[in-house]
Amino acid sequence: MPEIRPLRIGITCYPTYGGSGALATELGLALARRGHEVHFISYASPFRLRGFAERVFFHEVDTSISHYPLFDHFPYTLALASKQYEVARREELDILHVHYAIPHATTAWMAREMLAAERRVRVVTTLHGTDITLVGQESSFYQITKFSIERSDQVTAVSNFLRDETYRTFGCVSCNVVTIPNFVNLEEYRPEPAARREALAPAGHKVIAHISNFREVKRVRDVVRIFARIRKAMGATLVMVGDGPDRGDAEREAEQLGVAEDVRFLGRLDRVATILQASDLFLLPSQTESFGLAALEAMACGAPAVASRAGGLPEVIDDGISGILEPPGSVEAMGRRSVDLLLDPARLAVMREAAIAKAGTFSADRVVPMYEALYAEGMG
Ligand code: GMT
């Protein structure tokens, strides 16, 4: 393995709630703990970046001119490229590591070109999901996404599924897409025997959790439908964390199915470990997931996931061992298997241990060095 010297790394991600921003921030924090200097560049401080951390800096993209009358749509992409260039130049960055291709791989390419006459900054792009499987395939984005991936110095995907999808969709003959799986910080996401379940649910209730950005792809109405089957069989509370376009649909579904009293919509939360530690099961019946970081964090806390057999989820969950997988939309099967599991404490305990063990294979300690090795390989 090439020797790893402390690097100066710029990280760009979406700062709002979502797996790609969560992963990018956890990566930056882990890299800083390992001696690298990390500069986050985005329009807001990433939601998991709270408080001071040694060797970590945040650079805000200036959007103050966004109300200029000529701008029906503020050209954020240009402001971001400009900031990436400025930070790379002033802080002498070795690497711009961007998460989610659109538009970050493009702006990083622009910044690299702007700096080219003076010095070289390497662009590493991590593909996360819908940048490849959905948005990147829209005709308005297809060519620029393909171009930007091909121009990146190194490209990673968070699962083998996503790597293969990238080749299938974009060709990208000249690039070598390397799988580096998502990881979980086991110091924060760990089982907690003294978890405060009573704060979430009445005594004797099973606690079922779901965390997402409530977009169509998450199938949040299915979450409620699966829960309704569980609720019919036993006392249970569904804890819904997050917000997004389909939250209203999920709330209506809960009313219609007569379970609204046992469904708690908590909205967006910065820290979710305490909820996962108090949960018996995690539901993620998405249409697709390139990885399913939320399921991994749940597993690390001891809550097995009932999820879709789709995308990269089978790389994270072994059906019947560390969780349950059924095809997307199989509400009946997901509900039935959840009930069977919850009614069998011995089997639930075995699956819980298997989920914790599987999550351990995606620990930050194992995965972050893969990024360091990639950086070192690129630096030559
Ligand atoms: O690609 C997206 O839909 C957004 C992205 C996010 O920022 O939440 O989610 C994707 O990236 C996560 C982190 O790598 C993965 O865990 C999610 O599975 C993935 N979402 C989808 O593929 C739908």
Side-chain angles (χ1 to χ4, degrees), residues 18-20 100 128-130 158 182 215 288-293:
S20 60
Y100 204 88
H128 278 273
T130 50
V158 299
N182 284 336
R215 286 175 307 159
T288 185
E289 288 287 343
S290 67
F291 184 90
L293 182 61

PDB file of all heavy atoms in Angstrom, residues 18-20 100 128-130 158 182 215 288-293, ligand 1:
ATOM      1  N   GLY A  18     -29.493  13.877   4.517  1.00  0.00           N
ATOM      2  CA  GLY A  18     -29.397  12.904   3.430  1.00  0.00           C
ATOM      3  C   GLY A  18     -28.140  12.098   3.614  1.00  0.00           C
ATOM      4  O   GLY A  18     -27.164  12.560   4.225  1.00  0.00           O
ATOM      5  N   GLY A  19     -28.162  10.890   3.070  1.00  0.00           N
ATOM      6  CA  GLY A  19     -27.058   9.969   3.291  1.00  0.00           C
ATOM      7  C   GLY A  19     -25.731  10.453   2.734  1.00  0.00           C
ATOM      8  O   GLY A  19     -24.686  10.237   3.358  1.00  0.00           O
ATOM      9  N   SER A  20     -25.756  11.103   1.570  1.00  0.00           N
ATOM     10  CA  SER A  20     -24.476  11.492   0.970  1.00  0.00           C
ATOM     11  C   SER A  20     -23.783  12.564   1.813  1.00  0.00           C
ATOM     12  O   SER A  20     -22.565  12.515   2.023  1.00  0.00           O
ATOM     13  CB  SER A  20     -24.653  11.949  -0.475  1.00  0.00           C
ATOM     14  OG  SER A  20     -25.514  13.058  -0.544  1.00  0.00           O
ATOM     15  N   TYR A 100     -21.681  13.134  -4.500  1.00  0.00           N
ATOM     16  CA  TYR A 100     -22.858  13.299  -5.366  1.00  0.00           C
ATOM     17  C   TYR A 100     -22.402  14.076  -6.607  1.00  0.00           C
ATOM     18  O   TYR A 100     -21.975  15.231  -6.516  1.00  0.00           O
ATOM     19  CB  TYR A 100     -24.001  14.039  -4.649  1.00  0.00           C
ATOM     20  CG  TYR A 100     -25.361  13.746  -5.228  1.00  0.00           C
ATOM     21  CD1 TYR A 100     -26.120  12.670  -4.773  1.00  0.00           C
ATOM     22  CD2 TYR A 100     -25.895  14.539  -6.236  1.00  0.00           C
ATOM     23  CE1 TYR A 100     -27.382  12.403  -5.303  1.00  0.00           C
ATOM     24  CE2 TYR A 100     -27.144  14.278  -6.770  1.00  0.00           C
ATOM     25  CZ  TYR A 100     -27.891  13.210  -6.298  1.00  0.00           C
ATOM     26  OH  TYR A 100     -29.131  12.956  -6.813  1.00  0.00           O
ATOM     27  N   HIS A 128     -23.197   8.491  -5.205  1.00  0.00           N
ATOM     28  CA  HIS A 128     -23.990   8.029  -4.052  1.00  0.00           C
ATOM     29  C   HIS A 128     -25.278   7.313  -4.405  1.00  0.00           C
ATOM     30  O   HIS A 128     -25.758   6.502  -3.619  1.00  0.00           O
ATOM     31  CB  HIS A 128     -24.293   9.202  -3.126  1.00  0.00           C
ATOM     32  CG  HIS A 128     -23.156   9.503  -2.205  1.00  0.00           C
ATOM     33  ND1 HIS A 128     -22.998   8.881  -0.991  1.00  0.00           N
ATOM     34  CD2 HIS A 128     -22.097  10.333  -2.344  1.00  0.00           C
ATOM     35  CE1 HIS A 128     -21.897   9.320  -0.403  1.00  0.00           C
ATOM     36  NE2 HIS A 128     -21.319  10.208  -1.201  1.00  0.00           N
ATOM     37  N   GLY A 129     -25.904   7.664  -5.505  1.00  0.00           N
ATOM     38  CA  GLY A 129     -27.187   6.981  -5.761  1.00  0.00           C
ATOM     39  C   GLY A 129     -27.945   7.595  -6.903  1.00  0.00           C
ATOM     40  O   GLY A 129     -27.651   7.330  -8.077  1.00  0.00           O
ATOM     41  N   THR A 130     -28.884   8.464  -6.567  1.00  0.00           N
ATOM     42  CA  THR A 130     -29.742   9.010  -7.627  1.00  0.00           C
ATOM     43  C   THR A 130     -28.971   9.919  -8.585  1.00  0.00           C
ATOM     44  O   THR A 130     -29.502  10.252  -9.646  1.00  0.00           O
ATOM     45  CB  THR A 130     -30.939   9.773  -7.026  1.00  0.00           C
ATOM     46  OG1 THR A 130     -30.457  10.689  -6.051  1.00  0.00           O
ATOM     47  CG2 THR A 130     -31.928   8.817  -6.393  1.00  0.00           C
ATOM     48  N   VAL A 158     -20.547   3.775  -3.875  1.00  0.00           N
ATOM     49  CA  VAL A 158     -20.735   3.283  -2.505  1.00  0.00           C
ATOM     50  C   VAL A 158     -21.172   1.817  -2.446  1.00  0.00           C
ATOM     51  O   VAL A 158     -21.321   1.263  -1.353  1.00  0.00           O
ATOM     52  CB  VAL A 158     -21.708   4.177  -1.694  1.00  0.00           C
ATOM     53  CG1 VAL A 158     -21.164   5.601  -1.575  1.00  0.00           C
ATOM     54  CG2 VAL A 158     -23.109   4.173  -2.303  1.00  0.00           C
ATOM     55  N   ASN A 182     -20.088   2.497   2.035  1.00  0.00           N
ATOM     56  CA  ASN A 182     -20.342   3.428   3.135  1.00  0.00           C
ATOM     57  C   ASN A 182     -19.913   2.796   4.447  1.00  0.00           C
ATOM     58  O   ASN A 182     -19.755   1.573   4.545  1.00  0.00           O
ATOM     59  CB  ASN A 182     -21.824   3.794   3.176  1.00  0.00           C
ATOM     60  CG  ASN A 182     -22.182   4.774   2.076  1.00  0.00           C
ATOM     61  OD1 ASN A 182     -21.322   5.505   1.585  1.00  0.00           O
ATOM     62  ND2 ASN A 182     -23.442   4.794   1.677  1.00  0.00           N
ATOM     63  N   ARG A 215     -38.811  11.071   0.222  1.00  0.00           N
ATOM     64  CA  ARG A 215     -39.033  11.242  -1.226  1.00  0.00           C
ATOM     65  C   ARG A 215     -39.756  10.012  -1.751  1.00  0.00           C
ATOM     66  O   ARG A 215     -39.811   8.976  -1.091  1.00  0.00           O
ATOM     67  CB  ARG A 215     -37.692  11.410  -1.940  1.00  0.00           C
ATOM     68  CG  ARG A 215     -37.052  12.758  -1.712  1.00  0.00           C
ATOM     69  CD  ARG A 215     -35.689  12.804  -2.332  1.00  0.00           C
ATOM     70  NE  ARG A 215     -34.886  11.680  -1.868  1.00  0.00           N
ATOM     71  CZ  ARG A 215     -33.830  11.215  -2.497  1.00  0.00           C
ATOM     72  NH1 ARG A 215     -33.443  11.751  -3.620  1.00  0.00           N
ATOM     73  NH2 ARG A 215     -33.140  10.201  -2.015  1.00  0.00           N
ATOM     74  N   THR A 288     -35.625   1.707  -4.493  1.00  0.00           N
ATOM     75  CA  THR A 288     -34.227   1.294  -4.663  1.00  0.00           C
ATOM     76  C   THR A 288     -33.370   2.083  -3.683  1.00  0.00           C
ATOM     77  O   THR A 288     -33.768   3.144  -3.204  1.00  0.00           O
ATOM     78  CB  THR A 288     -33.733   1.506  -6.116  1.00  0.00           C
ATOM     79  OG1 THR A 288     -32.416   0.975  -6.236  1.00  0.00           O
ATOM     80  CG2 THR A 288     -33.705   2.980  -6.496  1.00  0.00           C
ATOM     81  N   GLU A 289     -32.210   1.534  -3.394  1.00  0.00           N
ATOM     82  CA  GLU A 289     -31.206   2.218  -2.557  1.00  0.00           C
ATOM     83  C   GLU A 289     -29.856   1.781  -3.093  1.00  0.00           C
ATOM     84  O   GLU A 289     -29.613   0.582  -3.220  1.00  0.00           O
ATOM     85  CB  GLU A 289     -31.286   1.763  -1.086  1.00  0.00           C
ATOM     86  CG  GLU A 289     -32.463   2.235  -0.286  1.00  0.00           C
ATOM     87  CD  GLU A 289     -32.404   3.707   0.076  1.00  0.00           C
ATOM     88  OE1 GLU A 289     -31.323   4.321   0.005  1.00  0.00           O
ATOM     89  OE2 GLU A 289     -33.461   4.239   0.422  1.00  0.00           O
ATOM     90  N   SER A 290     -28.983   2.714  -3.357  1.00  0.00           N
ATOM     91  CA  SER A 290     -27.662   2.294  -3.811  1.00  0.00           C
ATOM     92  C   SER A 290     -26.923   1.587  -2.678  1.00  0.00           C
ATOM     93  O   SER A 290     -26.086   0.720  -2.906  1.00  0.00           O
ATOM     94  CB  SER A 290     -26.853   3.497  -4.269  1.00  0.00           C
ATOM     95  OG  SER A 290     -26.582   4.311  -3.162  1.00  0.00           O
ATOM     96  N   PHE A 291     -27.248   1.951  -1.446  1.00  0.00           N
ATOM     97  CA  PHE A 291     -26.579   1.342  -0.286  1.00  0.00           C
ATOM     98  C   PHE A 291     -27.553   1.175   0.880  1.00  0.00           C
ATOM     99  O   PHE A 291     -27.775   0.073   1.349  1.00  0.00           O
ATOM    100  CB  PHE A 291     -25.377   2.209   0.141  1.00  0.00           C
ATOM    101  CG  PHE A 291     -24.571   1.603   1.257  1.00  0.00           C
ATOM    102  CD1 PHE A 291     -23.498   0.764   0.996  1.00  0.00           C
ATOM    103  CD2 PHE A 291     -24.907   1.852   2.588  1.00  0.00           C
ATOM    104  CE1 PHE A 291     -22.777   0.178   2.036  1.00  0.00           C
ATOM    105  CE2 PHE A 291     -24.185   1.274   3.637  1.00  0.00           C
ATOM    106  CZ  PHE A 291     -23.110   0.441   3.349  1.00  0.00           C
ATOM    107  N   GLY A 292     -28.108   2.315   1.368  1.00  0.00           N
ATOM    108  CA  GLY A 292     -28.998   2.249   2.534  1.00  0.00           C
ATOM    109  C   GLY A 292     -28.232   2.529   3.818  1.00  0.00           C
ATOM    110  O   GLY A 292     -28.242   1.720   4.745  1.00  0.00           O
ATOM    111  N   LEU A 293     -27.601   3.704   3.870  1.00  0.00           N
ATOM    112  CA  LEU A 293     -26.795   4.064   5.048  1.00  0.00           C
ATOM    113  C   LEU A 293     -27.631   4.058   6.329  1.00  0.00           C
ATOM    114  O   LEU A 293     -27.155   3.646   7.393  1.00  0.00           O
ATOM    115  CB  LEU A 293     -26.158   5.446   4.825  1.00  0.00           C
ATOM    116  CG  LEU A 293     -25.248   5.976   5.917  1.00  0.00           C
ATOM    117  CD1 LEU A 293     -24.051   5.066   6.133  1.00  0.00           C
ATOM    118  CD2 LEU A 293     -24.777   7.400   5.593  1.00  0.00           C
TER     119      LEU A 293
HETATM  120  O1  GMT B   1     -28.857   9.617  -4.131  1.00  0.00           O
HETATM  121  C1  GMT B   1     -29.751  10.011  -3.380  1.00  0.00           C
HETATM  122  O2  GMT B   1     -30.926   9.750  -3.481  1.00  0.00           O
HETATM  123  C2  GMT B   1     -29.380  10.917  -2.268  1.00  0.00           C
HETATM  124  C3  GMT B   1     -28.450  10.285  -1.344  1.00  0.00           C
HETATM  125  C4  GMT B   1     -28.518  11.129  -0.143  1.00  0.00           C
HETATM  126  O3  GMT B   1     -27.830  12.139  -0.126  1.00  0.00           O
HETATM  127  O4  GMT B   1     -29.298  10.798   0.749  1.00  0.00           O
HETATM  128  O5  GMT B   1     -28.789   8.922  -1.006  1.00  0.00           O
HETATM  129  C5  GMT B   1     -27.984   7.945  -1.593  1.00  0.00           C
HETATM  130  O6  GMT B   1     -26.754   7.973  -0.924  1.00  0.00           O
HETATM  131  C6  GMT B   1     -26.714   7.361   0.364  1.00  0.00           C
HETATM  132  C7  GMT B   1     -25.318   7.515   0.925  1.00  0.00           C
HETATM  133  O7  GMT B   1     -24.366   6.925   0.102  1.00  0.00           O
HETATM  134  C8  GMT B   1     -27.118   5.894   0.222  1.00  0.00           C
HETATM  135  O8  GMT B   1     -27.064   5.260   1.489  1.00  0.00           O
HETATM  136  C9  GMT B   1     -28.547   5.842  -0.317  1.00  0.00           C
HETATM  137  O9  GMT B   1     -28.892   4.483  -0.524  1.00  0.00           O
HETATM  138  C10 GMT B   1     -28.636   6.587  -1.631  1.00  0.00           C
HETATM  139  N1  GMT B   1     -30.054   6.714  -2.031  1.00  0.00           N
HETATM  140  C11 GMT B   1     -30.546   6.070  -3.085  1.00  0.00           C
HETATM  141  O10 GMT B   1     -29.879   5.352  -3.800  1.00  0.00           O
HETATM  142  C12 GMT B   1     -31.991   6.269  -3.340  1.00  0.00           C
END
